């Protein structure tokens, strides 16, 4: 049997537990891998709480992204062989010793990049990349990122800075130095944030990447005029209300390979701030669910 971590009912952390499941066989379009690392994301606890629907068969293994070594290649899959070191989007839950990846959303791990680093790229980094492509701001423009210190924001700031954009990011005062390390200008969120953004960007804001939603997004609506240059990853209803767009996912295996290549050359840092063994999956998820985690949290599987 394979050790895995998931939930047995929709709700809070009390519904989580370790599960035993039989080894999985790779189906068409899939890769069976022995897991080496898995990224932990806000979407994991949102799924558990039922915020994204309650159609999943219970119990459900958690985790949306993982890296590891290919055990078996499914029918119709090309470009991968057993023994390859890979990473990708998970089909059956990544908080486990063994799982299945979608081959079309997987890529080979560069030799110089760790399993932990590539395990962070399929959700946060790919979301950041998709959002920036959707905004399509040219060099010299100014981008505001709401919630810049999290996993998506950390990558978005680096990619935007690399593309020649001026980046302003909202975060707590404790993250001031961290935000600066991403190539962004820090603005403290909370009351009066619109005035502080205006002071940081006297020439105005050309685009907004919202990673928070709700009132935090409404509070800054006055700092930019072209609402089509607003993309949110966090709040479909509020972004529509303000005339912006929800992020359109367009990630491919080629995108993932390109992101991994940037990590390999040192041009992109996933900023893993906490690593936990699989046996401490509940603690890792609690860190992310608290809403105060910086960068990325990763589970490592022996």
């Amino acid at each position: 049997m394979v050790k895995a971590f998931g939930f047995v009912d929709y709700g809070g952390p009390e519904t989580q537990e370790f599960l035993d499941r039989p080894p999985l066989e790779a189906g068409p379009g899939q890769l069976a891998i022995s897991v080496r690392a898995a990224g932990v994301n806000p979407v994991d606890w949102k799924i558990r709480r039922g915020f994204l629907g309650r159609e999943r068969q219970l119990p459900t293994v958690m985790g949306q992204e993982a890296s590891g070594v290919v055990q078996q290649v499914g029918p119709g899959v090309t470009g991968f062989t057993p023994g390859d070191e890979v990473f990708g989007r998970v089909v059956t839950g990544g908080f486990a010793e063994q799982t299945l990846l979608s081959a079309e959303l997987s890529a080979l791990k560069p030799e110089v990049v760790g399993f932990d680093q590539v395990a962070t790229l399929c959700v946060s980094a790919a979301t950041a990349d998709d959002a920036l492509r959707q905004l399509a701001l040219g060099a010299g423009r100014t981008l505001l990122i709401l919630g810049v210190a999290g996993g998506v924001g950390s990558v978005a700031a680096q990619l935007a800075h690399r593309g020649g954009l001026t980046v302003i990011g909202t975060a707590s005062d404790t993250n001031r130095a961290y935000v600066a390390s991403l190539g962004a200008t820090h603005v403290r969120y909370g009351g009066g944030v619109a005035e502080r953004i205006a002071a940081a960007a006297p020439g105005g804001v050309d685009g907004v990447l919202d990673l928070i939603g709700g009132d935090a997004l409404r509070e800054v609506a006055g700092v930019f005029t072209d609402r089509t240059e607003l993309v949110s990853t966090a709040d479909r209803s509020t972004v529509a209300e303000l005339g912006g767009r929800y992020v359109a996912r367009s990630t491919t295996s080629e995108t993932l390979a390109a992101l991994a290549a940037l990590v390999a050359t040192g041009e992109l840092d996933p900023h893993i701030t906490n690593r936990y063994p699989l046996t401490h999956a509940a603690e890792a998820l609690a860190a992310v669910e608290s809403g105060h985690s910086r960068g990325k949290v990763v589970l490592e599987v022996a």
Side-chain angles (χ1 to χ4, degrees):
M1 300 296 282
V2 173
K3 182 184 291 295
F5 184 80
F7 60 93
V8 297
D9 197 4
Y10 290 101
E14 70 279 359
T15 68
Q16 301 169 172
E17 62 182 54
F18 280 96
L19 310 166
D20 288 320
R21 69 180 182 189
L24 303 168
E25 298 287 325
Q30 297 177 344
L31 301 172
I33 69 165
S34 56
V35 178
R36 294 293 182 269
V40 185
N41 298 281
V43 68
D44 297 317
W45 65 261
K46 291 178 181 179
I47 289 172
R48 188 204 65 220
R49 287 190 176 272
F51 293 164
L52 304 180
R54 294 175 175 249
E55 296 81 23
R56 289 171 174 78
Q57 183 177 349
L58 300 176
T60 291
V61 177
M62 305 172 78
Q64 308 301 304
E65 57 184 352
S67 63
V69 179
V70 175
Q71 298 173 319
Q72 183 185 41
V73 176
V77 175
T78 59
F80 299 97
T81 59
D84 283 345
E85 297 179 345
V86 298
F87 66 102
R89 284 300 297 260
V90 170
V91 177
T92 54
F95 297 177
E97 295 171 329
Q98 188 249 13
T99 193
L100 301 177
L101 302 183
S102 167
E104 66 179 5
L105 289 174
S106 297
L108 295 171
K109 180 185 78 65
E111 185 176 351
V112 297
V113 179
F115 282 109
D116 56 344
Q117 293 176 299
V118 291
T120 71
L121 299 180
C122 303
V123 176
S124 296
T127 299
D129 184 72
D130 286 343
L132 291 177
R133 290 176 187 274
Q134 195 171 352
L135 283 167
L137 297 177
R141 308 290 293 282
T142 298
L143 171 68
L144 169 64
I145 302 177
L146 302 181
V148 70
V152 177
S154 295
V155 171
Q158 293 175 77
L159 293 178
H161 181 71
R162 181 175 179 271
L165 275 68
T166 297
V167 184
I168 297 170
T170 65
S172 67
D173 269 341
T174 58
N175 284 314
R176 183 178 295 275
Y178 176 70
V179 172
S181 76
L182 302 174
T185 298
H186 171 272
V187 172
R188 177 173 55 84
Y189 57 57
V193 65
E195 290 77 12
R196 290 191 291 276
I197 291 169
V205 171
D206 300 306
V208 177
L209 172 54
D210 165 54
L211 309 175
I212 303 175
D215 289 340
L217 175 55
R218 293 188 183 93
E219 286 173 6
V220 305
V223 304
F224 61 104
T225 56
D226 187 354
R227 299 297 176 83
T228 64
E229 297 296 349
L230 162 64
V231 169
S232 177
T233 70
D235 190 335
R236 291 179 184 273
S237 60
T238 302
V239 74
E241 166 194 318
L242 295 175
R245 299 167 288 167
Y246 196 74
V247 63
R249 300 308 311 272
S250 58
T251 301
T252 64
S253 59
E254 290 76 17
T255 303
L256 296 177
L259 289 169
L262 291 178
V263 177
T265 59
E267 297 174 80
L268 177 64
D269 184 348
H271 281 284
I272 299 172
T273 54
N274 284 290
R275 295 171 174 83
Y276 297 83
L278 178 61
T279 52
H280 289 228
E283 295 173 36
L285 196 57
V288 173
E289 192 166 0
S290 73
H292 301 298
S293 60
R294 175 190 295 174
K296 286 289 294 190
V297 174
V298 170
L299 287 177
E300 296 182 316
V301 183

